[in-house]
Amino acid sequence: MTARTLPYVRPASLAGRHFSTVIVGAGINGAGVFRDLSLQGVDCLIVDKGDFAAGASSAPSRMIHGGLRYLESGAFSLVAEATRERNLLLRNAAHLVRPLETVVPLSSRFGGLLGSMLRFAGFTASPGARGLFVVALGLRLYDRLGRRQRVMPGHRIARARAADGALFSDSVRWTATYFDAWISHPEWLILELLADAHAGQSASVAANYCSVTACRGRALTLRDEITGDSVEVTADAVVNATGAWLDRSASALQGAGSRVMGTKGSHLVLEHPALHAALGGRMAYFEASDGRVCIVYPFMDRVLVGSTDIPVDDPDQAATEPAEIDYLLDVLGEVFPRLRFARADVVYTYVGVRPLAHSDADKPGQISRDHSVVIDPPNAVRDVPLVCLVGGKWTTFRSLAELAANQTLALLGKPRLRSTESLAIGGGADMPADAAALDRLIDGIRSRSGLPRARIAGLVGRYGSRAGALAQAFATAGDAPLQHAPDYSQAEIRNLCQETGVRRLNDLVIRRTLLAIRGRVDAALLSELADLAAAALGWTATRRREEWRACAATLRDRHFVDLPADEAAKAPGMDAASSTDSISSPITT
């Protein structure tokens, strides 16, 4: 990202401005609408009460998939849409979205057939392990629904190999193999959507830590959640893209409520070399003994496990409970009986709240994952239409954004100028299509920047085709590696702080990098990152200490990371006092 394409502003700079559309909620769906409308020439403001992508959009299973299990409930149109969007993302965001071979262990031939038939017919049926016939039929249909723009091979069924027998229990007789996809850094893709929007329409801007507290007439009152200051902007239309917070946001926006319900999905990240090696780059997709579908797959050098599906009333209070950790570890023990799992293997946990349309279904898994767009017309208090996004899957964000953008354009009386269907996202533009071309890209960047090949490969994996410009900038700055995470550099961290809207240390540690989710953040690394952020953003020593403590508390209390409450208790060899007191720049919020 460069200064020409930075969309990030502080709320104070928005006072008195008018926007054609204000979008509330900067998760994946809000960012998708922001980009789509901006590319049609519409000047937009997107705001979020927290950081960009800080809600459910930063806490998915990181799968980009069609939803194989939704076929049982007859959701053919949803699965067809999701598989199509999966295929588009594999092309449009190839730097972040990659194919994922998936294996389903099968122990019986006809297991679950009656239950599947009853669920397909709309009846409630007790869970039961699905067998060869049901899974083979489902995968045949899955392949057919995803045939448009197919970029991956179809499924196959085979007798369990010796290697599979060593991984799964002795009862596994067959395995079904098919392909979906996974995304390495969903938060970064959201930032790229914001940057692409601003590049297409320079009047479109984004503000994080900016909540909407009132909507009267055509005016919206915005509150800076860090400084406490409030400003007003006006708009011709408002989009509510707050996901599981939709009904809560409706109160400030003078809209209707009771449209969504939330279920939380908790995930674990394990440091478990034996399981990582046994998976062999594949995801295992399986049923627990209670019928809950779970996944486990290699996530870089870790293993990602998910997920639970538990109703919640307050998405702000959702957290991974100890019982959920134990449940997922027990499930792993059922499926991989030759391996041992303990809490000590868990290096990170996270939880997201799925924004589901209100339903009377008996079980969360039976609630539709489909989406819709509902318009609340102007009323006695609010003079602008309110476009509400209800439900939705991470994978289908583009198609939901297109639907919402089309309705917003109609309200504004503006035409659609272009489609986003084949439009690359951020560093996905001009990404090499094969390994040989990727090698040429890396070699070209190395010759221009002089950085080591391994370092460039890491940058390409994070930033795609934009790695070349960044590598040269980092090389000019010296590209000194971090002491406690040498695959990142000081120049890279400064760039992230200054050019991606970072306002809190949490933003940098948890969402701008992959250090936290990979279980690599200890007290010493957190101090090193706090020093760099403070210098880049002009924090005082007091502000820096407060940010360290707040970030440590978040990692400790919400993500199961072992960190002390006070920086003075961190690892030996790091002098907390000297690292903070040397910073004396005026506070910048």
Side-chain angles (χ1 to χ4, degrees), residues 127 243 257 277 293 423 580:
V293 173
L423 188 64
T580 57

Side-chain angles (χ1 to χ4, degrees), residues 66-68 70-71 74-87 137-150:
L68 176 63
Y70 306 143
L71 292 175
F76 299 135
S77 61
L78 172 62
V79 175
E81 178 184 34
T83 52
R84 177 171 173 269
E85 294 299 320
R86 175 202 66 191
N87 294 348
L137 182 62
L139 286 173
R140 184 181 295 274
L141 182 55
Y142 197 61
D143 283 350
R144 181 172 292 276
L145 291 172
R147 68 185 182 276
R148 184 175 177 184
Q149 298 169 321
R150 177 178 289 174

Side-chain angles (χ1 to χ4, degrees), residues 23 30-38 44-46 193-194 197 204-206:
I23 301 159
V33 176
F34 181 65
R35 181 183 74 145
D36 198 321
L37 285 175
S38 296
C44 300
L45 166 66
I46 186 169
L193 291 172
L194 300 182
S204 290
V205 292

Side-chain angles (χ1 to χ4, degrees), residues 399-414:
S399 55
L400 174 55
E402 183 178 69
L403 177 62
N406 285 341
Q407 300 217 30
T408 306
L409 289 170
L411 292 169
L412 297 173
K414 296 186 177 183

Side-chain angles (χ1 to χ4, degrees), residues 22 37 118 144 165 176 220 263 268 295 304 339 428 442 450 457 491 495 568:
V22 172
L37 285 175
L118 290 172
R144 181 172 292 276
L220 291 89
T263 70
L268 311 182
I295 60 168
L304 194 152
L339 300 175
I442 292 172
N495 178 272

Side-chain angles (χ1 to χ4, degrees), residues 11-26:
S13 69
L14 298 171
R17 291 185 61 177
H18 176 82
F19 295 90
S20 294
T21 302
V22 172
I23 301 159
V24 185

Side-chain angles (χ1 to χ4, degrees), residues 322-341:
E324 293 178 273
I325 296 176
D326 292 339
Y327 167 79
L328 289 170
L329 292 176
D330 287 345
V331 167
L332 287 178
E334 291 175 8
V335 178
F336 309 111
R338 293 173 179 82
L339 300 175
R340 295 291 176 262
F341 303 96

